[in-house]
Amino acid sequence: MLPGQKNLNQTMLDANQLASLQEAIAAYTPLQLAWTSGYLAAKSEGGSVAALPTATAGASAQVQAALTILFSSQTGNAKGVAKKLAESAKAAGITVNLKNVSEYKPKSLKSETHLLIVTSTNGEGEAPDDAIEFHEFLASKKAPKLPTLKYSVLSLGDSSYEFYCQTGKDFDERLKALGATAVSPRVDCDVDYEEDAQSWSVHIIDTLKEELTQSGDAGVAPVAGLTGSVEVESQYTKQTPYAAELLVSQKITGRDSAKDVRHVEIDLGESGLTYQVGDALGVWFENSTALVEELIAVLKLSADENVSIKGENFTLSQALTSELEITQTAPAFIEFWASISGDAKLKALVEDKNAAREYSAEHQIVDIVSAAPSDVAAQVFVDALRKITPRLYSIASSQTEVEEEVHLTVGLVSYEENGVTRFGGASGFLTNDAEEGATVKVFVEHNDNFRLPADGNTPVIMVGPGTGVAPFRAFMQERDAAEAEGDNWMFFGDQTFTQDFLYQVEWQGYLKSGLLTKMDVAFSRDQAEKVYVQDRIKENAKEVFEWLERGAHLYICGDANRMAKDVHNTLVDVIASQGGLTPEQAEDYLKSLRSNKRYQKDVY
Ligand code: NDP
């Protein structure tokens, strides 16, 4: 490693460069900092900066952004859309202020004239973590009247969930209620959001271009940087992934475990792809050949038949292997197959949305069509399927330790249906189908909402049962390499000690070396009564609270539906009892940790 390279992920500058930069900007006002950030962004893009105005009195009006774009993102998709939108706006000559909503002061809303929001939604219709405060502010009495604001909302979601695109709907409704005018109606996008997002973006820029470039100051200040994030853009993206090599896919649960969890290592080779601990890896996958053949046989179609998807031609077999989702389904497919087959059971499901959602969560396409066989034209069938989407896995390694590799902890999703075992799309591909040496198409999904504290002396508490352990393995590698001196406390849980203690040897090594200060484990099925990580947190209530009081950052990773909620509720109890607070005050305590980026979740 080169001298000064250790903190590459955090600063990209060596210590001397960083010190001179800090000295140079020490006396700058916030406005001057904003101008400088734009100046540097333009310079890094190779644009001519000679024409940029100097910071004279008149320039302050010029750096005032005409258009504010806010994004809130659970997985990075909304951020990706917002960044592209900001670039198009800039190219159209509009001055843009692009921000993660958690970095935006909601009170500034009253001085905005034009606002675009791109947001995702959490599983049960809640705002993503980074948007919780903005969401609460808009719904509260504190929200100002916004009679002069023009806005539009793009919401990303998954139509198989009951509260589809709810956060976007909430923002739209509240802005309207506060008197703002929608310059273009809200657009709700499903899992394959790219095309809808692109046409909304094009339309909105066309609509705003004229009025926002009239003043003559447009385009002067480039897009503001994203506070707190140092991202190196890669040529390899979700749309243009890197064809990496699968090095290792090793089972790390015991022979008698109820689960098959793999430690996966992927070689990023010469790609130049970089990631920070806390990021996720996007993995494109192919559906298994056996499953595709079974589906084509059940449909009584021919593998070689030609079909077209958005104007591109494929054989049916190719389309079902690499273009279309066949392991996950949604109520819309049940509705489609009910109408094709006329099956009474499916028709009944169509009438009961919750039942349809549950049924689609537990059945793959092949199970649905096998249970109600019917003739269908290949093209009609293909038109009813969703485009395949990559899966995101929390990265389980630090590049300071593994350099051009990336490690994942993959739980094989599997279940029995009529005596046949069905596997998850990407987890099946990574564990059953792709042999070591196979090509895996990947990209890095940055996640600024799950970051180690910048100061290595800050203590961290990590709660990661099951595959939720992954990012904490990365955290430990990073803190080890950085020789960070802050305390580290890990809460891990799984079914049994002997079969499911993921990375047990590594944790023991870290305990021995002293890097890991404390580890508490909860093996739920090693005794008659279930014991979970939150029980361990409760048993250690006093010390957990002490750690928080001395500035610890708190992280949760793993199951979103049950575990993360139960752990949150336990934390509320612990903070209330130890801090002598009411439950509401304890919630506020956690809220303030969250807004100070000291309480972060990566849950799925
Ligand atoms: P799990 O979270 O299923 O299990 C880990 C440990 O947590 C087990 O000991 C389990 O106990 C325990 N547990 C169960 N309920 C709770 C609870 N309410 N609070 C705290 N602990 C609890 O680990 P996995 O690695 O198998 O999976 C992680 C999670 O990730 C899954 O639960 C699933 O929700 C999610 N997941 C999501 C996928 C997706 O595509 N969205 C794919 C794969 C997993 P016990 O089982 O004995 O009750």
Side-chain angles (χ1 to χ4, degrees), residues 63-79:
V63 294
Q64 178 66 48
L67 173 65
T68 291
I69 301 175
L70 300 179
F71 63 88
S72 71
S73 213
Q74 205 64 30
T75 60
N77 291 338
K79 177 171 154 188

Side-chain angles (χ1 to χ4, degrees), residues 28 119 299 563 591:
Y28 283 22
T119 185
L299 293 168
M563 182 276 295
K591 217 182 269 176

Side-chain angles (χ1 to χ4, degrees), residues 560-594:
N561 293 329
R562 302 156 302 155
M563 182 276 295
K565 288 182 182 146
D566 293 347
V567 169
H568 177 92
N569 292 336
T570 300
L571 289 166
V572 171
D573 292 346
V574 162
I575 291 163
S577 68
Q578 297 300 312
L581 304 175
T582 64
E584 293 72 31
Q585 288 168 326
E587 282 282 5
D588 286 345
Y589 186 104
L590 280 172
K591 217 182 269 176
S592 115
L593 289 190
R594 191 171 50 226

Side-chain angles (χ1 to χ4, degrees), residues 48 50 59 122 132 235 250 599:
S48 163
N122 264 356
I132 290 176
Q235 59 175 309
Q250 185 190 356
Y599 178 30

